Amino acid sequence: MNSFLEIKGLKNNNLDISISKNTISTFSGANNCGKTTLIRILGKLLNCESDISIDNKKISEYKVEEYNEIVKTVIPKEIIFDEINIEEELNNKCYLEYKEKEQIINYIIKGLKIKKILTKNIEILNSREIVLAQIAIALLNKPKLLLIDSIDIYLSLEDQKMIIEFLKNYKNKYGITTIITTTNLDISLETDCLYIIDKGDLVLSGVPLEVLQNDNVINKIGLNIPFMIDLSVKLRDYDLITELETDYDRMIEALWK
């Protein structure tokens, strides 16, 4: 996979990261570790002395309009709606040609399961519905990079898994690179790569299942290892199983063999 996003030497931080094109990455760490700051820098909502490139072009070289087209940032509740409901928001903020516009709007509505909230007055939407609407609007015009910050605060684990499953389908259909920040490491198992940040520094990175085995480092930071991973590691250490297992039923089956 080709490198799409390059982050080198954020000021005062030890963050040198290369992210492949059309992947979904999770960034995690305790509160105030720098996750949201990173999202704001990548979304150009916060200035920072750094060397960051997107698609082999430094972000400082992009014109504002061009950057806003290819990079979309979702920070829960930080959005201004212009219309009275989400249906009108989707129609008025999608700039694709008519046939393609209709296709992608219907695709997003179905994929994010937001049909029931389309005609609700925006003023009565709850936090969950607002976040889903934000993600829907962000995906309308086929951006290259999607940044989603701390949605675990507002969405259930089931909702988060649904969103990631949809993003996997979306990237296969249209192509998109996604970064999600969270303190819930369970969701990282659904993504391609996991980055653990502590006080602005990158301390662990790689395939989620491999990173999560570093329980001493992760627990020290203040994060919780997913229950099934924690249990699998302990059972493997006692030679009760040979491979890590994330599914409860398969775990029981392995123990009974």
mmCIF file of all heavy atoms in Angstrom, residues 195-239:
data_model
loop_
_atom_site.group_PDB
_atom_site.id
_atom_site.type_symbol
_atom_site.label_atom_id
_atom_site.label_comp_id
_atom_site.label_asym_id
_atom_site.label_seq_id
_atom_site.Cartn_x
_atom_site.Cartn_y
_atom_site.Cartn_z
ATOM 1 N N TYR A 195 -2.388 3.243 16.768
ATOM 2 C CA TYR A 195 -1.303 4.090 17.265
ATOM 3 C C TYR A 195 -1.643 4.498 18.696
ATOM 4 O O TYR A 195 -2.725 5.025 18.957
ATOM 5 C CB TYR A 195 -1.145 5.344 16.404
ATOM 6 C CG TYR A 195 -0.802 5.056 14.965
ATOM 7 C CD1 TYR A 195 -1.803 4.801 14.031
ATOM 8 C CD2 TYR A 195 0.520 5.039 14.535
ATOM 9 C CE1 TYR A 195 -1.493 4.527 12.699
ATOM 10 C CE2 TYR A 195 0.841 4.770 13.201
ATOM 11 C CZ TYR A 195 -0.172 4.514 12.304
ATOM 12 O OH TYR A 195 0.139 4.243 10.991
ATOM 13 N N ILE A 196 -0.730 4.249 19.624
ATOM 14 C CA ILE A 196 -0.920 4.642 21.023
ATOM 15 C C ILE A 196 -0.041 5.851 21.309
ATOM 16 O O ILE A 196 1.179 5.819 21.106
ATOM 17 C CB ILE A 196 -0.542 3.496 21.987
ATOM 18 C CG1 ILE A 196 -1.362 2.237 21.686
ATOM 19 C CG2 ILE A 196 -0.744 3.936 23.432
ATOM 20 C CD1 ILE A 196 -2.828 2.345 21.993
ATOM 21 N N ILE A 197 -0.675 6.915 21.797
ATOM 22 C CA ILE A 197 0.028 8.169 22.093
ATOM 23 C C ILE A 197 0.025 8.416 23.591
ATOM 24 O O ILE A 197 -0.983 8.200 24.272
ATOM 25 C CB ILE A 197 -0.642 9.357 21.373
ATOM 26 C CG1 ILE A 197 -0.632 9.143 19.853
ATOM 27 C CG2 ILE A 197 0.056 10.670 21.715
ATOM 28 C CD1 ILE A 197 -1.395 10.206 19.095
ATOM 29 N N ASP A 198 1.156 8.882 24.106
ATOM 30 C CA ASP A 198 1.255 9.240 25.517
ATOM 31 C C ASP A 198 1.984 10.574 25.631
ATOM 32 O O ASP A 198 3.138 10.702 25.210
ATOM 33 C CB ASP A 198 1.994 8.157 26.306
ATOM 34 C CG ASP A 198 2.043 8.462 27.799
ATOM 35 O OD1 ASP A 198 1.089 9.069 28.308
ATOM 36 O OD2 ASP A 198 3.046 8.081 28.444
ATOM 37 N N LYS A 199 1.304 11.578 26.146
ATOM 38 C CA LYS A 199 1.875 12.919 26.331
ATOM 39 C C LYS A 199 2.453 13.452 25.025
ATOM 40 O O LYS A 199 3.521 14.064 24.998
ATOM 41 C CB LYS A 199 2.949 12.892 27.417
ATOM 42 C CG LYS A 199 2.405 12.471 28.782
ATOM 43 C CD LYS A 199 3.512 12.333 29.811
ATOM 44 C CE LYS A 199 2.954 11.853 31.132
ATOM 45 N NZ LYS A 199 4.020 11.641 32.154
ATOM 46 N N GLY A 200 1.727 13.206 23.933
ATOM 47 C CA GLY A 200 2.132 13.734 22.641
ATOM 48 C C GLY A 200 3.123 12.892 21.878
ATOM 49 O O GLY A 200 3.436 13.181 20.726
ATOM 50 N N ASP A 201 3.645 11.838 22.494
ATOM 51 C CA ASP A 201 4.628 10.975 21.842
ATOM 52 C C ASP A 201 3.995 9.654 21.410
ATOM 53 O O ASP A 201 3.122 9.115 22.103
ATOM 54 C CB ASP A 201 5.799 10.669 22.790
ATOM 55 C CG ASP A 201 6.621 11.906 23.100
ATOM 56 O OD1 ASP A 201 6.584 12.849 22.295
ATOM 57 O OD2 ASP A 201 7.273 11.925 24.154
ATOM 58 N N LEU A 202 4.471 9.132 20.309
ATOM 59 C CA LEU A 202 4.016 7.824 19.842
ATOM 60 C C LEU A 202 4.798 6.742 20.572
ATOM 61 O O LEU A 202 6.017 6.692 20.499
ATOM 62 C CB LEU A 202 4.240 7.705 18.331
ATOM 63 C CG LEU A 202 3.833 6.378 17.690
ATOM 64 C CD1 LEU A 202 2.323 6.192 17.768
ATOM 65 C CD2 LEU A 202 4.306 6.326 16.239
ATOM 66 N N VAL A 203 4.090 5.871 21.290
ATOM 67 C CA VAL A 203 4.775 4.838 22.074
ATOM 68 C C VAL A 203 4.588 3.432 21.509
ATOM 69 O O VAL A 203 5.417 2.554 21.737
ATOM 70 C CB VAL A 203 4.329 4.860 23.553
ATOM 71 C CG1 VAL A 203 4.786 6.144 24.220
ATOM 72 C CG2 VAL A 203 2.814 4.703 23.684
ATOM 73 N N LEU A 204 3.482 3.210 20.778
ATOM 74 C CA LEU A 204 3.232 1.904 20.165
ATOM 75 C C LEU A 204 2.499 2.108 18.851
ATOM 76 O O LEU A 204 1.685 3.031 18.723
ATOM 77 C CB LEU A 204 2.368 1.016 21.073
ATOM 78 C CG LEU A 204 2.953 0.519 22.397
ATOM 79 C CD1 LEU A 204 1.841 -0.116 23.239
ATOM 80 C CD2 LEU A 204 4.083 -0.470 22.167
ATOM 81 N N SER A 205 2.759 1.239 17.887
ATOM 82 C CA SER A 205 2.010 1.297 16.638
ATOM 83 C C SER A 205 2.110 -0.042 15.919
ATOM 84 O O SER A 205 3.069 -0.791 16.106
ATOM 85 C CB SER A 205 2.535 2.412 15.723
ATOM 86 O OG SER A 205 3.853 2.144 15.300
ATOM 87 N N GLY A 206 1.100 -0.332 15.109
ATOM 88 C CA GLY A 206 1.120 -1.561 14.334
ATOM 89 C C GLY A 206 -0.257 -2.162 14.195
ATOM 90 O O GLY A 206 -1.280 -1.501 14.435
ATOM 91 N N VAL A 207 -0.298 -3.434 13.819
ATOM 92 C CA VAL A 207 -1.561 -4.165 13.724
ATOM 93 C C VAL A 207 -2.196 -4.210 15.118
ATOM 94 O O VAL A 207 -1.515 -4.566 16.090
ATOM 95 C CB VAL A 207 -1.317 -5.592 13.195
ATOM 96 C CG1 VAL A 207 -2.631 -6.378 13.174
ATOM 97 C CG2 VAL A 207 -0.687 -5.550 11.815
ATOM 98 N N PRO A 208 -3.474 -3.834 15.252
ATOM 99 C CA PRO A 208 -4.098 -3.742 16.577
ATOM 100 C C PRO A 208 -3.895 -4.961 17.461
ATOM 101 O O PRO A 208 -3.561 -4.828 18.645
ATOM 102 C CB PRO A 208 -5.571 -3.520 16.242
ATOM 103 C CG PRO A 208 -5.532 -2.779 14.947
ATOM 104 C CD PRO A 208 -4.385 -3.369 14.188
ATOM 105 N N LEU A 209 -4.089 -6.155 16.935
ATOM 106 C CA LEU A 209 -3.984 -7.363 17.745
ATOM 107 C C LEU A 209 -2.584 -7.530 18.330
ATOM 108 O O LEU A 209 -2.423 -8.034 19.438
ATOM 109 C CB LEU A 209 -4.345 -8.595 16.906
ATOM 110 C CG LEU A 209 -4.651 -9.889 17.677
ATOM 111 C CD1 LEU A 209 -5.787 -9.674 18.668
ATOM 112 C CD2 LEU A 209 -4.974 -11.017 16.717
ATOM 113 N N GLU A 210 -1.573 -7.084 17.590
ATOM 114 C CA GLU A 210 -0.199 -7.173 18.078
ATOM 115 C C GLU A 210 0.102 -6.073 19.098
ATOM 116 O O GLU A 210 0.729 -6.314 20.124
ATOM 117 C CB GLU A 210 0.774 -7.093 16.900
ATOM 118 C CG GLU A 210 0.643 -8.265 15.925
ATOM 119 C CD GLU A 210 1.545 -8.112 14.709
ATOM 120 O OE1 GLU A 210 2.244 -7.087 14.614
ATOM 121 O OE2 GLU A 210 1.531 -9.023 13.853
ATOM 122 N N VAL A 211 -0.360 -4.863 18.813
ATOM 123 C CA VAL A 211 -0.130 -3.740 19.728
ATOM 124 C C VAL A 211 -0.780 -3.999 21.087
ATOM 125 O O VAL A 211 -0.197 -3.723 22.142
ATOM 126 C CB VAL A 211 -0.680 -2.429 19.119
ATOM 127 C CG1 VAL A 211 -0.625 -1.293 20.155
ATOM 128 C CG2 VAL A 211 0.112 -2.041 17.882
ATOM 129 N N LEU A 212 -1.972 -4.561 21.080
ATOM 130 C CA LEU A 212 -2.734 -4.753 22.310
ATOM 131 C C LEU A 212 -2.135 -5.791 23.250
ATOM 132 O O LEU A 212 -2.563 -5.919 24.399
ATOM 133 C CB LEU A 212 -4.178 -5.121 21.970
ATOM 134 C CG LEU A 212 -4.997 -3.995 21.328
ATOM 135 C CD1 LEU A 212 -6.336 -4.510 20.845
ATOM 136 C CD2 LEU A 212 -5.177 -2.830 22.291
ATOM 137 N N GLN A 213 -1.151 -6.527 22.781
ATOM 138 C CA GLN A 213 -0.482 -7.486 23.653
ATOM 139 C C GLN A 213 0.530 -6.819 24.583
ATOM 140 O O GLN A 213 1.041 -7.452 25.507
ATOM 141 C CB GLN A 213 0.208 -8.563 22.805
ATOM 142 C CG GLN A 213 -0.780 -9.417 22.021
ATOM 143 C CD GLN A 213 -0.091 -10.460 21.180
ATOM 144 O OE1 GLN A 213 0.724 -11.242 21.681
ATOM 145 N NE2 GLN A 213 -0.402 -10.485 19.887
ATOM 146 N N ASN A 214 0.795 -5.535 24.337
ATOM 147 C CA ASN A 214 1.710 -4.776 25.203
ATOM 148 C C ASN A 214 0.922 -4.221 26.397
ATOM 149 O O ASN A 214 0.828 -3.002 26.596
ATOM 150 C CB ASN A 214 2.360 -3.644 24.404
ATOM 151 C CG ASN A 214 3.244 -4.156 23.297
ATOM 152 O OD1 ASN A 214 4.394 -4.508 23.522
ATOM 153 N ND2 ASN A 214 2.704 -4.203 22.083
ATOM 154 N N ASP A 215 0.347 -5.124 27.176
ATOM 155 C CA ASP A 215 -0.554 -4.699 28.235
ATOM 156 C C ASP A 215 0.116 -3.841 29.302
ATOM 157 O O ASP A 215 -0.499 -2.928 29.848
ATOM 158 C CB ASP A 215 -1.252 -5.906 28.874
ATOM 159 C CG ASP A 215 -0.262 -6.968 29.351
ATOM 160 O OD1 ASP A 215 0.850 -7.031 28.811
ATOM 161 O OD2 ASP A 215 -0.611 -7.728 30.268
ATOM 162 N N ASN A 216 1.382 -4.099 29.600
ATOM 163 C CA ASN A 216 2.066 -3.313 30.628
ATOM 164 C C ASN A 216 2.163 -1.841 30.235
ATOM 165 O O ASN A 216 1.895 -0.945 31.046
ATOM 166 C CB ASN A 216 3.473 -3.872 30.883
ATOM 167 C CG ASN A 216 3.445 -5.217 31.580
ATOM 168 O OD1 ASN A 216 2.469 -5.538 32.257
ATOM 169 N ND2 ASN A 216 4.490 -6.008 31.411
ATOM 170 N N VAL A 217 2.523 -1.599 28.977
ATOM 171 C CA VAL A 217 2.648 -0.217 28.487
ATOM 172 C C VAL A 217 1.280 0.449 28.436
ATOM 173 O O VAL A 217 1.103 1.588 28.897
ATOM 174 C CB VAL A 217 3.299 -0.192 27.084
ATOM 175 C CG1 VAL A 217 3.323 1.235 26.535
ATOM 176 C CG2 VAL A 217 4.695 -0.777 27.141
ATOM 177 N N ILE A 218 0.311 -0.255 27.879
ATOM 178 C CA ILE A 218 -1.022 0.316 27.685
ATOM 179 C C ILE A 218 -1.710 0.605 29.019
ATOM 180 O O ILE A 218 -2.303 1.672 29.210
ATOM 181 C CB ILE A 218 -1.871 -0.622 26.811
ATOM 182 C CG1 ILE A 218 -1.294 -0.645 25.382
ATOM 183 C CG2 ILE A 218 -3.330 -0.168 26.776
ATOM 184 C CD1 ILE A 218 -1.934 -1.653 24.466
ATOM 185 N N ASN A 219 -1.628 -0.327 29.956
ATOM 186 C CA ASN A 219 -2.246 -0.102 31.275
ATOM 187 C C ASN A 219 -1.579 1.043 32.025
ATOM 188 O O ASN A 219 -2.241 1.804 32.739
ATOM 189 C CB ASN A 219 -2.182 -1.378 32.114
ATOM 190 C CG ASN A 219 -3.107 -2.462 31.582
ATOM 191 O OD1 ASN A 219 -4.116 -2.167 30.973
ATOM 192 N ND2 ASN A 219 -2.755 -3.711 31.818
ATOM 193 N N LYS A 220 -0.278 1.171 31.867
ATOM 194 C CA LYS A 220 0.455 2.247 32.540
ATOM 195 C C LYS A 220 0.000 3.614 32.042
ATOM 196 O O LYS A 220 -0.059 4.580 32.810
ATOM 197 C CB LYS A 220 1.964 2.074 32.311
ATOM 198 C CG LYS A 220 2.818 3.059 33.093
ATOM 199 C CD LYS A 220 4.300 2.780 32.882
ATOM 200 C CE LYS A 220 5.160 3.773 33.664
ATOM 201 N NZ LYS A 220 6.613 3.511 33.468
ATOM 202 N N ILE A 221 -0.337 3.676 30.758
ATOM 203 C CA ILE A 221 -0.807 4.934 30.172
ATOM 204 C C ILE A 221 -2.177 5.310 30.726
ATOM 205 O O ILE A 221 -2.528 6.481 30.818
ATOM 206 C CB ILE A 221 -0.852 4.805 28.623
ATOM 207 C CG1 ILE A 221 0.574 4.781 28.069
ATOM 208 C CG2 ILE A 221 -1.651 5.942 27.998
ATOM 209 C CD1 ILE A 221 0.633 4.475 26.588
ATOM 210 N N GLY A 222 -2.954 4.295 31.120
ATOM 211 C CA GLY A 222 -4.285 4.560 31.658
ATOM 212 C C GLY A 222 -5.405 4.066 30.773
ATOM 213 O O GLY A 222 -6.574 4.426 30.977
ATOM 214 N N LEU A 223 -5.063 3.221 29.784
ATOM 215 C CA LEU A 223 -6.070 2.643 28.904
ATOM 216 C C LEU A 223 -6.385 1.222 29.344
ATOM 217 O O LEU A 223 -5.583 0.576 30.015
ATOM 218 C CB LEU A 223 -5.563 2.641 27.457
ATOM 219 C CG LEU A 223 -5.308 4.003 26.823
ATOM 220 C CD1 LEU A 223 -4.646 3.834 25.468
ATOM 221 C CD2 LEU A 223 -6.607 4.790 26.684
ATOM 222 N N ASN A 224 -7.539 0.740 28.946
ATOM 223 C CA ASN A 224 -7.957 -0.615 29.282
ATOM 224 C C ASN A 224 -7.837 -1.533 28.075
ATOM 225 O O ASN A 224 -8.368 -1.233 27.005
ATOM 226 C CB ASN A 224 -9.407 -0.619 29.783
ATOM 227 C CG ASN A 224 -9.580 0.142 31.082
ATOM 228 O OD1 ASN A 224 -8.757 0.009 31.990
ATOM 229 N ND2 ASN A 224 -10.622 0.941 31.179
ATOM 230 N N ILE A 225 -7.153 -2.659 28.260
ATOM 231 C CA ILE A 225 -7.068 -3.665 27.223
ATOM 232 C C ILE A 225 -8.453 -4.292 27.034
ATOM 233 O O ILE A 225 -9.129 -4.587 28.025
ATOM 234 C CB ILE A 225 -6.057 -4.775 27.607
ATOM 235 C CG1 ILE A 225 -4.663 -4.192 27.833
ATOM 236 C CG2 ILE A 225 -6.021 -5.869 26.551
ATOM 237 C CD1 ILE A 225 -3.981 -3.726 26.596
ATOM 238 N N PRO A 226 -8.900 -4.505 25.793
ATOM 239 C CA PRO A 226 -10.177 -5.196 25.591
ATOM 240 C C PRO A 226 -10.216 -6.518 26.353
ATOM 241 O O PRO A 226 -9.218 -7.244 26.384
ATOM 242 C CB PRO A 226 -10.210 -5.418 24.073
ATOM 243 C CG PRO A 226 -9.396 -4.293 23.519
ATOM 244 C CD PRO A 226 -8.301 -4.085 24.517
ATOM 245 N N PHE A 227 -11.350 -6.822 26.956
ATOM 246 C CA PHE A 227 -11.463 -7.986 27.828
ATOM 247 C C PHE A 227 -11.000 -9.275 27.156
ATOM 248 O O PHE A 227 -10.237 -10.058 27.738
ATOM 249 C CB PHE A 227 -12.911 -8.144 28.307
ATOM 250 C CG PHE A 227 -13.152 -9.420 29.053
ATOM 251 C CD1 PHE A 227 -12.712 -9.568 30.366
ATOM 252 C CD2 PHE A 227 -13.787 -10.495 28.444
ATOM 253 C CE1 PHE A 227 -12.915 -10.748 31.056
ATOM 254 C CE2 PHE A 227 -13.996 -11.683 29.131
ATOM 255 C CZ PHE A 227 -13.561 -11.812 30.433
ATOM 256 N N MET A 228 -11.454 -9.519 25.919
ATOM 257 C CA MET A 228 -11.120 -10.763 25.244
ATOM 258 C C MET A 228 -9.622 -10.867 24.958
ATOM 259 O O MET A 228 -9.045 -11.954 25.016
ATOM 260 C CB MET A 228 -11.919 -10.903 23.950
ATOM 261 C CG MET A 228 -13.393 -11.221 24.158
ATOM 262 S SD MET A 228 -13.661 -12.750 25.096
ATOM 263 C CE MET A 228 -12.956 -13.958 23.984
ATOM 264 N N ILE A 229 -8.981 -9.757 24.670
ATOM 265 C CA ILE A 229 -7.534 -9.768 24.433
ATOM 266 C C ILE A 229 -6.797 -10.053 25.733
ATOM 267 O O ILE A 229 -5.875 -10.879 25.791
ATOM 268 C CB ILE A 229 -7.055 -8.431 23.833
ATOM 269 C CG1 ILE A 229 -7.757 -8.159 22.514
ATOM 270 C CG2 ILE A 229 -5.543 -8.446 23.643
ATOM 271 C CD1 ILE A 229 -7.509 -9.197 21.443
ATOM 272 N N ASP A 230 -7.217 -9.371 26.791
ATOM 273 C CA ASP A 230 -6.588 -9.576 28.098
ATOM 274 C C ASP A 230 -6.719 -11.033 28.539
ATOM 275 O O ASP A 230 -5.747 -11.660 29.005
ATOM 276 C CB ASP A 230 -7.251 -8.645 29.116
ATOM 277 C CG ASP A 230 -6.489 -8.584 30.439
ATOM 278 O OD1 ASP A 230 -5.244 -8.669 30.394
ATOM 279 O OD2 ASP A 230 -7.132 -8.464 31.485
ATOM 280 N N LEU A 231 -7.917 -11.585 28.365
ATOM 281 C CA LEU A 231 -8.153 -12.977 28.734
ATOM 282 C C LEU A 231 -7.333 -13.926 27.861
ATOM 283 O O LEU A 231 -6.721 -14.886 28.365
ATOM 284 C CB LEU A 231 -9.641 -13.301 28.597
ATOM 285 C CG LEU A 231 -10.066 -14.742 28.913
ATOM 286 C CD1 LEU A 231 -9.717 -15.100 30.352
ATOM 287 C CD2 LEU A 231 -11.560 -14.917 28.654
ATOM 288 N N SER A 232 -7.285 -13.644 26.563
ATOM 289 C CA SER A 232 -6.535 -14.503 25.644
ATOM 290 C C SER A 232 -5.058 -14.554 25.995
ATOM 291 O O SER A 232 -4.433 -15.620 25.971
ATOM 292 C CB SER A 232 -6.698 -13.991 24.195
ATOM 293 O OG SER A 232 -7.957 -14.288 23.678
ATOM 294 N N VAL A 233 -4.488 -13.398 26.312
ATOM 295 C CA VAL A 233 -3.067 -13.340 26.656
ATOM 296 C C VAL A 233 -2.787 -14.187 27.895
ATOM 297 O O VAL A 233 -1.815 -14.951 27.948
ATOM 298 C CB VAL A 233 -2.619 -11.876 26.883
ATOM 299 C CG1 VAL A 233 -1.212 -11.835 27.485
ATOM 300 C CG2 VAL A 233 -2.652 -11.101 25.574
ATOM 301 N N LYS A 234 -3.650 -14.062 28.903
ATOM 302 C CA LYS A 234 -3.451 -14.833 30.134
ATOM 303 C C LYS A 234 -3.587 -16.343 29.875
ATOM 304 O O LYS A 234 -2.790 -17.150 30.374
ATOM 305 C CB LYS A 234 -4.449 -14.382 31.201
ATOM 306 C CG LYS A 234 -4.155 -12.988 31.770
ATOM 307 C CD LYS A 234 -5.173 -12.608 32.817
ATOM 308 C CE LYS A 234 -4.788 -11.325 33.549
ATOM 309 N NZ LYS A 234 -4.694 -10.166 32.665
ATOM 310 N N LEU A 235 -4.589 -16.726 29.100
ATOM 311 C CA LEU A 235 -4.793 -18.148 28.791
ATOM 312 C C LEU A 235 -3.655 -18.707 27.946
ATOM 313 O O LEU A 235 -3.234 -19.853 28.135
ATOM 314 C CB LEU A 235 -6.134 -18.340 28.068
ATOM 315 C CG LEU A 235 -7.386 -18.089 28.905
ATOM 316 C CD1 LEU A 235 -8.623 -18.171 28.039
ATOM 317 C CD2 LEU A 235 -7.478 -19.083 30.063
ATOM 318 N N ARG A 236 -3.140 -17.877 27.060
ATOM 319 C CA ARG A 236 -2.005 -18.323 26.245
ATOM 320 C C ARG A 236 -0.756 -18.486 27.110
ATOM 321 O O ARG A 236 0.017 -19.430 26.927
ATOM 322 C CB ARG A 236 -1.736 -17.324 25.118
ATOM 323 C CG ARG A 236 -0.688 -17.786 24.106
ATOM 324 C CD ARG A 236 -0.328 -16.695 23.148
ATOM 325 N NE ARG A 236 0.233 -15.538 23.845
ATOM 326 C CZ ARG A 236 0.574 -14.394 23.227
ATOM 327 N NH1 ARG A 236 0.402 -14.268 21.932
ATOM 328 N NH2 ARG A 236 1.067 -13.395 23.920
ATOM 329 N N ASP A 237 -0.579 -17.580 28.063
ATOM 330 C CA ASP A 237 0.582 -17.677 28.962
ATOM 331 C C ASP A 237 0.556 -18.961 29.780
ATOM 332 O O ASP A 237 1.609 -19.470 30.180
ATOM 333 C CB ASP A 237 0.635 -16.457 29.889
ATOM 334 C CG ASP A 237 1.001 -15.176 29.145
ATOM 335 O OD1 ASP A 237 1.498 -15.286 28.001
ATOM 336 O OD2 ASP A 237 0.791 -14.086 29.690
ATOM 337 N N TYR A 238 -0.674 -19.469 30.045
ATOM 338 C CA TYR A 238 -0.812 -20.721 30.789
ATOM 339 C C TYR A 238 -0.929 -21.934 29.853
ATOM 340 O O TYR A 238 -1.269 -23.031 30.298
ATOM 341 C CB TYR A 238 -2.034 -20.656 31.704
ATOM 342 C CG TYR A 238 -1.812 -19.834 32.948
ATOM 343 C CD1 TYR A 238 -2.313 -18.539 33.044
ATOM 344 C CD2 TYR A 238 -1.099 -20.342 34.034
ATOM 345 C CE1 TYR A 238 -2.109 -17.775 34.186
ATOM 346 C CE2 TYR A 238 -0.894 -19.587 35.182
ATOM 347 C CZ TYR A 238 -1.404 -18.297 35.257
ATOM 348 O OH TYR A 238 -1.205 -17.543 36.392
ATOM 349 N N ASP A 239 -0.641 -21.678 28.565
ATOM 350 C CA ASP A 239 -0.673 -22.747 27.547
ATOM 351 C C ASP A 239 -2.042 -23.402 27.413
ATOM 352 O O ASP A 239 -2.158 -24.570 27.023
ATOM 353 C CB ASP A 239 0.372 -23.838 27.867
ATOM 354 C CG ASP A 239 1.792 -23.309 27.780
ATOM 355 O OD1 ASP A 239 2.041 -22.464 26.901
ATOM 356 O OD2 ASP A 239 2.626 -23.727 28.585
#
